[in-house]
Amino acid sequence: EVQLVESGGGLVQAGGSLRLSCAASGFTFDYYAIGWFRQAPGKEREGVSCINGSDGRTYYADSVKGRFSISTDNAKNTVYLQMNSLKPDDTAVYYCAALLYGDLCPDQDEYDYWGQGTQVTVSS
């Protein structure tokens, strides 16, 4: 069964850090484009960061550039999102998604697989 499972969310004070994990089962990330997205209450889902599983190219939204870092651990078949200097505006449900043979940051509608999401809450 193909599955993505996010973990690592929680409640943190502004300025703090969290590391989100996205573990894959049923496939490996080698030939996938992987994206992290978030959706805050009352807002549309937005892209946060992407990585190409084949060549390691990365992308960050302007709102998180310099604070977030995406990486993969192929041995654990896991993608991480290290989030530093968190702000209340980062509060959202965070999702990871994967697209087979995707390039970098495909449109949201193109992703093959989605995780269930993990809640991140940043208090001021």
Side-chain angles (χ1 to χ4, degrees):
E1 179 186 3
V2 174
Q3 198 173 14
L4 291 174
V5 179
E6 301 98 334
S7 61
L11 174 64
V12 64
Q13 288 187 333
S17 298
L18 284 173
R19 188 178 77 160
L20 304 184
S21 300
C22 173
S25 59
F27 69 97
T28 62
F29 284 127
D30 302 64
Y31 301 104
Y32 281 78
I34 303 105
W36 280 101
F37 298 83
R38 67 187 181 186
Q39 188 166 22
K43 295 185 177 181
E44 293 186 354
R45 188 168 58 194
E46 63 175 355
V48 174
S49 181
C50 311
I51 188 167
N52 181 289
S54 296
D55 59 23
R57 287 176 295 140
T58 59
Y59 165 85
Y60 299 94
D62 287 343
S63 58
V64 305
K65 200 171 294 183
R67 300 188 298 122
F68 290 12
S69 178
I70 190 171
S71 62
T72 61
D73 184 334
N74 290 338
K76 296 182 178 180
N77 213 28
T78 299
V79 176
Y80 300 102
L81 186 68
Q82 178 67 44
M83 307 187 296
N84 300 326
S85 302
L86 283 162
K87 305 174 182 179
D89 284 349
D90 295 319
T91 295
V93 177
Y94 283 70
Y95 302 88
C96 65
L99 171 64
L100 179 61
Y101 299 131
D103 188 15
L104 184 67
C105 298
D107 291 340
Q108 290 190 34
D109 293 344
E110 297 183 57
Y111 282 89
D112 294 320
Y113 308 113
W114 288 84
Q116 83 290 349
T118 185
Q119 177 70 47
V120 171
T121 303
V122 184
S123 63
S124 57

